[in-house]
Structure formats: structure tokens, C-alpha cells
């Protein structure tokens, strides 16, 4: 029988970690994602699967604990919300420089600064354009349901180890806090140390006589070697762009207008599409599931079909830049965003689409 | 007798540690880092721990420690080594995990990570080389810089009124219930080297007991940063550093 439960997004992610064979979670509380650490602590994970759960003294310490565990080939993770993720940027950059796989989740809240605990999507740039110092990218997954919060724990680890990269689940306060039905997949076993050593020969698990010592470092004072390393990183990101793009298309077949939205905004736009269709407006939704790699090619294709696109985000206009780059001026692309932790309503979003494109009002009206 | 006849294994009283690589050390001549490296590797070799050891290198002059030590190592961000070691040890509890850190790394940017790893009683070992200065970045003032000591950023001497007091971080962490063994040594004379080795041995042995963090401070020189030749630096260290940072065990198991 299938294991179906009613769960909060944050809890579903935590349960997803356990069932994905996660070895270690190192976290620090912050609203609106504290339930992850609370749920894991209540689950007695040590007894359930052997998974280690530790409350660190800060986000800085958490991410560096993740760094230590990841270098041993373990499935390790931490989660936080906006101000905490900012603190982790140092460690994330070090993991990028050492190509260590790990899973991270940002349950985004309104900023900048201490901001608000309400949901927002204003950390898009930070997540998809690097975030810390140096030229690097993470794979960024954007869940739009509690089910995806669960599913992306496993998917995230798989992608992280497949490419030796950091994977960030970019959620938000609404998805983290809302409750929905979730179908839970079976628990997969954690890997043993022997399996890890065999599968990941690069790990620091203790130098044995049959191999050279393994060193995890991002330091190379020789700029020529640094450039070679960086070119290798870039080639990896290129490959990911070619192979790992994920998106969902809703009512796009005959669409004349297109919403582009991810996460909570996509849920709102999904409703707006239905409202639009009731009014006879042929509108569809492209929901990027991976924000890096971005569904550039799909948007370019759709730009040949639709008359205009509206990027709906809970930000002042971040993803819209990527949408515009994708369509390269082929169709008008507008942005609509609510800021500071406010979520737009479906009819509000549909009105904006109508005003911008259908009633042929001034395009610039809603750009920020 | 020829050299060959003399150099027989049975005559050997001292030789190079197999766990040091052939890479030329990047330290200034006379610097204590090299001796400290050697001692740690000597003990790891004698205890046959190579396959069970994971080391964490800091940021500072010893950032390249992994080039010299023939063991698996990770390089940590400035100050974060105790957190990195925590992650390793929690997930590989049967390994011998140590960090190697300077005073700028451990007692300035990494104070938080140091205190909390100690206070949680992580079963790791910290080797702490205290030369009272930031060696790598050009000899700036460290938290451990002595009062009135001249550095690149206290060119008229450390004025405690404006720059604060030197931080006795080792005494501080010895207070914490999570530390099991805390010792302060030096490596500037053969006698001190022997004592330091004993402390290193104990720190490593105690880690196996899972009773808390073991910590060995090595008070050392920084000839370049102090702008002295090695002999002057060692003399200055004895005269000025040891009175403030007295050598000996600070916390031993009951
Ligand atoms: C985040 C960060 N800040 C500053 C630096 C620059 N930095 C490199 S080494 C160092 C001081 C190291 O001093 P110490 O730990 O005493 O080691 P020593 O060089 O004396 O052995 C500093 C400030 C850095 N690498 N990273
Ligand atoms: S600068 Fe100082 S600490 Fe660094 S290697 Fe030279 S003497 Fe040693």
C-alpha cells in the first residue's frame, strides 16, 4: 500500500531526506524552515536509518560541517532561509571550488536584511547566478508543491553526485509552510563506507596503501592551473545546461500568451490560466523546474508561438532577465511582481496580463 | 667503518618520517611549523594510523599542509576547520580526525567554531600553532599578539587600550566541559620537541576514548613576521611569549 500523508512542505522535505539515504543534516533554526530540523530531531533518525542530525552554532558552521561530510562522500545537507543562506555563501563557494556534492534548501523569505518571514522569491539571483565569490553555478530546483518538496530531496542528491555539484532546492515560505497530500516513496538504504570508497575514489576516507593521498582543496596559487580548473567547471555547467533542464508546460499547445513562473508564483499562475481560459483568453504557463539550468530553448521556441510573455515573480524582477535573454527580443516580455513577502492573487495576475497585452495598453506600465 | 656499514637499520636512532612527503616545505627557515608537522606525522606513523587519519588544513602559512603530510586531507576556509572536522568525525566516527590551525585562524575569524566544537566535546584533535602574529598575510596583529608587540598593523606596539588584550584562547577552552586534554608546548629545543611529541601522542590516544576534544597548542616563532633571525626569534619567544603563554599541560584527564 502506498504511504500517503498530509504534511507541511518542510516536513515533506525532511522525510524526503531520510528516505533518500541522507547521512547527515547540519542545521541552524530560522523561520520559515525550522520544521526541517525539528522534524528530523523528532524522527530519531540515528535509530531509523543511522542518519546524523546536528544543530550547529551558526549557519557558517553548518555549511562547513556539510563540507567536511561531503568530502567523505556522504549524502549531506543543510537548509535555511534567506539571511542564513547569505551566511553560508562562503562555504558554498568552497564546495564549488572543490566540486563537492551536497544538497541545500533555501525557504526564501522577504528581504533584504532581516526582512520578513513571509514568502518571497527575491533570492533568485543569489541562487542561480553564483551567490558566493568566484565563477560557479549550482543546480537549482524550484518545487511548486509539497509533493515536490519530498521528491526533490532524492532527485537533488542524485544530481549532486552525478555532477559533483551543489544542488539548491529554492523553495519559499508558502511552500515550506503549506500542507498538502504527499505520496512517500520507499526508503532507500544509506551507502556503507565500503560502497562509498568504491564508488567515489576521490573521497577523503583515510589513505590506504593502494592509492595516493586524496586532497580536497580549492587552492592553487598557479593562475594557469586555476584557469584550467575554472574551464573544467564551466564545461561541467555547459553539460548540465544541455542535459538537466526540467520544466512543466500547462495549456501551452494553443497559447497566445504565456505566464512564466516558478514555485508559489507558478501555483498562482496555474489558477490564473484557468480564469483566463474561462474568459476565452488563450493563455498558458511555462513553469521552470530547474532555474539553473534555465529552460532557455523551450522559451525561445514558445516565443515563435505567443504574442507576449509575463514573468510573474515575488521579486522586483529577477527571473524576467533570463526570460528576456531566452527570447532575445522576439516577443515583448513583461514582469509583474509583489515585494516584501506579499503573494499576488490569480485574478490580479490575469488583470496584469490583460492590461499589458490584450487591451494593448502601455507595455511599460508594470515593469519595475 | 664506511658510511654504508654504519647506516644499518639496527644502528638507526632517528630517521625521516615516512609520512612526510618529498615536497620542499614552504615555511621560512627556522619556523616551527615544519617541526610541528613532523611530530604529528611521526606519531601517526608510530601508531599506524595513516589509513584512519583525516586532517584538516587551515588558512595561514600552513594552508599547504596537505602537500607535506602523506594522509587524506581537506583544506578549510579561514577559521572553519573545527566545523569541517565536526562534519567528518560525526560521519566517520572511527577515523582519527585533526585540524591544524594558526592563531589568526583559530582565535580570530574561527573563534566561534573553535569554542563550539570544544564545548560540544567533538571527538577530534586540534593542533594550534600560536606565533602571536598573522604570518601569511604579512605579519599583522593577531588576537594572541602580546601587549606592546610591534606588528604590521600595530607598528608602534599593541596598545591594549585601543586594540584590546591578547586572547588566551587555550586557557579559555580548557574551562569548557567538552575538552578532555589541553596542553601547551613548544618545539624550539630538542627537549621541548620531546615533550611536545608526548602531548601529541596523548591527544591522539585520548581521541579514541570518545571523551571529548583534545587540544595541543604549540607556541612557536615567526621569524619573518617578527623581523628577527631564527635564533633571535627563539630567544625572544622564550623571554616574552612563554611568560604570557606558560608551557605545560593545562587540563589532563583525572
Ligand atoms: C575569509 C578570509 N579572510 C582573510 C584571509 C587572509 N588571511 C590569510 S592567512 C591569514 C592569517 C593567518 O594567520 P595565522 O592563523 O596566525 O597563521 P600563520 O600564517 O601565522 O601560520 C589571513 C588573515 C583569508 N584567506 N580568508
Ligand atoms: S611567515 Fe612566519 S609562520 Fe609563516 S612560514 Fe614564515 S616564519 Fe613561519
Amino acid at each position: 500500500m502506498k504511504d500517503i500523508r498530509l504534511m507541511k512542505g518542510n516536513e515533506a522535505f525532511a522525510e524526503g531526506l531520510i528516505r533518500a539515504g541522507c547521512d547527515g543534516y547540519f542545521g541552524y533554526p530560522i523561520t520559515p524552515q525550522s520544521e526541517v530540523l525539528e522534524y528530523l530531531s523528532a524522527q530519531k533518525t540515528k535509530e531509523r536509518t543511522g542518519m546524523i542530525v546536528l544543530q550547529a552554532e551558526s549557519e557558517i558552521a553548518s555549511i562547513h560541517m556539510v563540507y567536511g561530510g561531503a568530502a567523505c562522500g556522504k549524502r549531506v545537507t543543510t537548509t535555511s532561509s534567506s539571511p542564513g543562506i547569505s551566511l553560508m555563501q562562503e562555504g558554498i563557494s568552497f564546495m564549488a571550488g572543490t566540486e563537492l556534492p551536497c544538497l541545500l534548501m533555501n525557504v526564501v523569505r522577504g528581504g533584504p536584511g532581516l526582512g520578513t518571514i513571509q514568502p518571497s522569491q527575491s533570492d533568485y539571483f543569489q541562487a542561480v547566478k553564483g551567490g558566493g565569490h568566484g565563477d560557479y553555478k549550482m543546480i537549482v530546483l524550484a518545487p511548486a508543491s509539497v509533493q515536490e518538496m519530498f521528491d526533490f530531496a532524492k532527485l537533488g542528491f542524485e544530481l549532486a553526485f552525478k555532477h559533483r555539484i551543489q544542488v539548491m532546492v529554492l523553495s519559499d515560505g508558502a511552500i515550506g509552510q503549506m500542507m498538502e497530500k504527499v505520496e512517500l516513496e520507499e526508503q532507500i538504504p544509506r551507502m556503507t563506507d565500503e560502497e562509498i570508497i568504491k564508488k567515489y575514489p576521490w573521497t577523503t576516507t583515510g589513505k590506504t596503501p593502494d592509492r595516493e593521498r586524496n586532497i580536497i582543496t580549492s587552492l592553487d596559487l598557479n593562475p594557469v592551473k586555476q584557469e584550467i580548473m575554472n574551464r573544467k567547471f564551466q564545461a561541467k555547467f555547459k553539460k548540465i545546461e544541455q542535459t538537466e533542464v526540467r520544466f512543466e508546460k500547462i495549456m501551452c499547445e494553443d497559447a497566445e500568451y504565456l505566464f512564466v513562473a516558478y514555485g508559489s508564483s507558478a501555483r498562482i499562475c496555474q489558477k490564473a490560466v484557468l480564469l483566463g481560459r474561462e474568459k476565452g483568453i488563450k493563455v498558458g504557463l511555462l513553469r521552470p523546474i530547474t532555474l539553473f539550468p534555465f529552460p532557455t530553448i523551450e522559451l525561445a521556441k514558445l516565443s515563435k508561438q505567443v504574442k507576449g510573455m509575463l514573468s510573474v515573480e515575488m521579486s522586483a524582477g529577477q527571473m524576467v532577465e533570463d526570460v528576456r535573454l531566452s527570447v532575445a527580443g522576439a516577443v515583448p516580455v513583461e514582469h509583474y511582481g509583489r515585494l516584501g513577502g506579499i503573494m499576488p492573487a490569480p485574478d490580479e495576475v490575469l488583470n496584469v496580463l490583460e492590461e499589458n497585452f490584450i487591451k494593448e495598453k502601455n507595455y511599460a506600465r508594470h515593469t519595475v | 667503518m664506511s658510511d654504508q656499514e654504519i647506516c644499518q637499520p639496527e644502528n638507526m636512532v632517528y630517521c625521516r618520517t615516512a609520512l612526510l612527503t618529498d615536497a620542499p616545505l614552504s615555511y621560512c627557515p627556522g619556523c616551527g611549523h615544519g617541526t610541528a608537522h613532523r611530530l604529528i606525522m611521526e606519531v601517526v606513523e608510530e601508531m599506524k594510523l595513516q589509513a584512519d587519519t583525516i586532517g584538516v588544513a587551515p588558512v595561514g602559512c600552513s594552508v599547504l599542509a596537505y602537500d607535506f603530510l602523506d594522509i587524506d586531507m581537506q583544506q578549510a576556509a579561514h577559521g572553519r576547520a573545527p566545523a569541517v572536522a565536526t562534519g567528518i568525525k560525526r560521519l566517520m566516527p572511527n577515523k582519527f580526525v585533526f585540524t591544524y590551525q594558526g592563531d589568526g585562524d583559530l582565535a580570530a575569524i574561527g573563534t566561534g567554531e573553535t569554542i563550539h566544537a570544544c564545548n560540544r566535546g567533538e571527538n577530534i584533535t586540534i593542533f594550534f600553532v600560536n606565533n602571536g602574529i598573522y604570518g601569511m598575510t604579512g605579519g599583522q596583529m593577531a588576537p594572541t599578539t602580546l601587549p606592546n608587540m610591534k606588528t604590521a598593523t600595530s607598528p608602534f606596539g599593541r596598545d591594549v587600550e585601543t586594540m584590546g588584550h591578547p586572547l588566551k584562547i587555550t586557557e579559555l577552552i580548557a574551562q569548557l566541559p567538552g575538552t578532555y586534554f589541553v596542553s601547551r608546548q613548544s618545539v624550539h629545543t630538542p627537549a621541548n620537541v620531546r615533550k611536545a611529541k608526548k602531548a601529541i601522542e596523548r591527544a591522539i590516544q585520548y581521541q579514541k576514548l570518545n571523551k571529548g576534544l583534545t587540544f595541543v597548542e604549540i607556541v612557536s616563532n615567526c621569524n619573518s613576521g617578527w623581523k628577527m633571525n631564527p635564533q633571535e626569534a627563539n630567544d625572544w619567544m622564550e623571554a616574552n611569549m612563554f611568560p604570557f603563554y606558560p608551557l605545560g599541560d593545562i587540563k589532563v584527564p583525572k
Side-chain angles (χ1 to χ4, degrees):
Chain A
M1 215 185 69
K2 280 193 178 147
D3 195 355
I4 295 177
R5 288 192 211 161
L6 181 68
M7 292 182 106
K8 258 194 184 189
N10 288 331
E11 294 168 348
F13 185 76
E15 183 61 32
L17 293 175
I18 300 172
R19 293 188 186 223
C22 180
D23 298 298
Y25 174 92
F26 303 96
Y28 190 76
I30 180 171
T31 311
Q33 64 77 58
S34 300
E35 292 86 0
V36 180
L37 179 54
E38 289 170 13
Y39 182 91
L40 290 171
S41 307
Q43 280 296 310
K44 295 194 176 158
T45 54
K46 191 93 197 282
E47 289 161 37
R48 231 181 110 179
T49 65
M51 175 183 172
I52 301 294
V53 176
L54 183 65
Q55 178 168 336
E57 69 269 29
S58 68
E59 288 88 349
I60 298 176
S62 326
I63 189 72
H64 290 280
M65 290 173 185
V66 168
Y67 174 99
C72 299
K74 302 284 182 177
R75 289 191 160 198
V76 277
T77 181
T78 184
T79 62
S80 191
S81 179
S82 311
I85 296 288
S86 292
L87 279 174
M88 289 181 188
Q89 292 304 329
E90 177 196 63
I92 298 173
S93 168
F94 271 68
M95 294 188 84
T98 46
E99 296 190 275
L100 289 182
C102 76
L103 180 62
L104 310 163
M105 180 168 70
N106 184 359
V107 184
V108 183
R109 60 191 240 180
L114 203 49
T116 163
I117 57 171
Q118 303 302 328
S120 171
Q121 294 180 322
S122 48
D123 297 352
Y124 177 93
F125 281 156
Q126 190 193 45
V128 306
K129 308 285 181 196
H133 60 285
D135 273 320
Y136 74 91
K137 294 276 172 77
M138 299 182 286
I139 293 180
V140 181
L141 297 170
S145 65
V146 175
Q147 182 67 52
E148 282 187 338
M149 288 286 266
F150 175 83
D151 295 341
F152 288 0
K154 184 163 166 230
L155 174 65
F157 275 128
E158 283 166 2
L159 292 173
F161 276 84
K162 181 173 169 195
H163 298 285
R164 277 191 70 177
I165 197 171
Q166 306 72 53
V167 174
M168 176 174 277
V169 175
L170 192 71
S171 177
D172 67 56
I175 294 184
Q177 294 294 326
M178 74 187 180
M179 290 186 92
E180 281 182 329
K181 185 182 83 173
V182 206
E183 205 178 296
L184 302 175
E185 254 185 70
E186 288 286 299
Q187 157 90 47
I188 61 165
R190 289 175 51 238
M191 279 168 85
T192 63
D193 287 357
E194 292 68 35
E195 285 168 340
I196 288 173
I197 290 167
K198 220 165 142 213
K199 196 158 177 201
Y200 310 122
W202 48 267
T203 51
T204 46
T205 45
K207 183 197 175 308
T208 42
D210 57 337
R211 67 158 168 85
E212 279 300 298
R213 64 191 194 283
N214 280 336
I215 291 163
I216 302 288
T217 181
S218 51
L219 175 73
D220 203 322
L221 296 170
N222 178 339
V224 176
K225 287 195 188 155
Q226 270 296 349
E227 187 173 55
I228 292 169
M229 275 305 288
N230 269 278
R231 291 212 185 283
K232 193 181 138 207
F233 298 160
Q234 294 304 320
K236 176 165 81 178
F237 304 143
K238 261 266 132 9
K239 190 173 160 213
I240 288 169
E241 283 182 291
Q242 284 155 6
T243 56
E244 302 294 358
V245 176
R246 286 169 168 77
F247 55 84
E248 186 187 6
K249 277 165 47 175
I250 293 169
M251 299 199 184
C252 286
E253 298 75 29
D254 61 342
E256 290 177 2
Y257 304 96
L258 192 72
F259 288 120
V260 187
Y262 69 96
S264 294
S265 299
R267 290 287 286 267
I268 292 156
C269 288
Q270 203 172 335
K271 180 74 184 167
V273 166
L274 294 178
L275 295 177
R277 292 273 169 176
E278 277 170 20
K279 281 176 137 183
I281 303 168
K282 287 186 178 171
V283 56
L285 165 67
L286 187 282
R287 170 172 85 95
I289 293 174
T290 49
L291 298 176
F292 178 82
F294 195 68
T296 305
I297 294 172
E298 197 56 34
L299 278 164
K301 277 189 207 153
L302 284 163
S303 73
K304 303 211 164 64
Q305 173 190 328
V306 301
K307 295 180 190 158
M309 297 187 187
L310 183 68
S311 179
V312 179
E313 306 166 62
M314 282 136 61
S315 82
Q318 299 192 14
M319 183 180 72
V320 66
E321 294 191 3
D322 288 333
V323 179
R324 286 198 175 116
L325 280 172
S326 304
V327 308
V331 280
V333 175
E334 298 299 341
H335 163 261
Y336 181 68
R338 296 299 303 265
L339 311 180
I342 293 179
M343 298 179 78
D347 54 348
E348 176 184 346
V349 169
L350 184 64
N351 274 343
V352 176
L353 183 93
E354 287 183 85
E355 275 187 33
N356 268 307
F357 299 115
I358 299 162
K359 294 183 185 161
E360 285 169 2
K361 292 188 178 166
N362 183 4
Y363 285 141
R365 190 157 165 187
H366 281 284
T367 50
V368 180
Chain B
M1 255 202 281
S2 71
D3 281 1
Q4 263 182 349
E5 283 168 314
I6 296 168
C7 293
Q8 295 300 319
E10 60 271 22
N11 296 335
M12 196 79 85
V13 286
Y14 198 64
C15 66
R16 195 175 152 279
T17 315
L19 297 194
L20 282 183
T21 67
D22 288 337
L25 288 177
S26 49
Y27 304 111
C28 307
C31 172
H33 273 305
T35 317
H37 280 13
R38 190 214 145 87
L39 284 182
I40 297 166
M41 282 303 98
E42 214 169 78
V43 176
V44 169
E45 187 190 5
E46 284 163 12
M47 291 191 183
K48 299 193 171 41
L49 282 176
Q50 186 190 27
D52 293 315
T53 299
I54 303 167
V56 183
V59 161
C61 285
S62 44
V63 67
L64 292 172
Y66 50 76
D67 273 355
F68 317 127
L69 316 184
D70 191 16
I71 50 169
D72 278 2
M73 284 196 81
Q74 302 180 15
Q75 196 284 320
H78 198 26
R80 317 296 177 221
V84 175
T86 299
I88 303 169
K89 185 74 181 190
R90 291 281 178 143
L91 294 166
M92 306 220 84
N94 299 324
K95 298 288 168 185
F96 165 59
V97 180
F98 74 87
T99 73
Y100 185 99
Q101 301 175 258
D103 44 274
D105 192 79
L106 181 139
I109 195 167
T111 319
E113 285 78 6
T114 302
I115 295 207
H116 287 282
C118 289
N119 200 43
R120 278 194 307 268
E122 296 296 338
N123 292 305
I124 59 170
T125 300
I126 294 180
F127 298 115
F128 167 43
V129 176
N130 176 8
N131 54 22
I133 208 163
Y134 288 10
M136 182 183 234
T137 37
Q140 298 89 1
M141 184 177 68
T144 47
T145 298
L146 298 174
N148 303 319
M149 186 173 163
K150 286 186 180 165
T151 72
T153 49
S154 59
F156 308 107
R158 181 182 190 147
D159 171 13
V160 294
E161 292 285 319
T162 56
M163 299 168 187
H165 299 270
L167 180 61
K168 293 193 179 184
I169 186 98
T170 305
E171 275 81 354
L172 207 133
I173 60 115
Q175 308 277 318
L176 304 174
T179 50
Y180 188 66
F181 171 69
V182 180
S183 184
R184 182 185 284 128
Q185 304 292 335
S186 80
V187 291
H188 69 302
T189 69
N192 287 79
V193 165
R194 276 196 288 276
K195 282 190 211 159
K197 185 170 172 185
K198 269 263 144 342
I200 291 168
E201 267 166 2
R202 288 176 80 182
I204 296 180
Q205 255 151 9
Y206 290 147
Q207 189 181 128
K208 289 196 200 124
L209 303 178
N210 287 334
K211 292 205 166 166
L213 191 138
T214 59
F215 189 99
V216 181
E217 170 178 341
I218 294 169
V219 181
S220 189
N221 57 4
C222 176
N223 339 302
S224 300
W226 296 356
K227 305 200 185 334
M228 296 173 196
N229 68 35
Q231 186 58 52
E232 286 166 0
N234 282 343
D235 294 344
W236 191 89
M237 177 169 67
E238 281 190 0
N240 299 280
M241 294 280 278
F242 294 170
F244 199 84
Y245 300 112
L247 304 186
D249 292 338
I250 299 173
K251 184 177 194 176
V252 288
K254 290 196 187 73

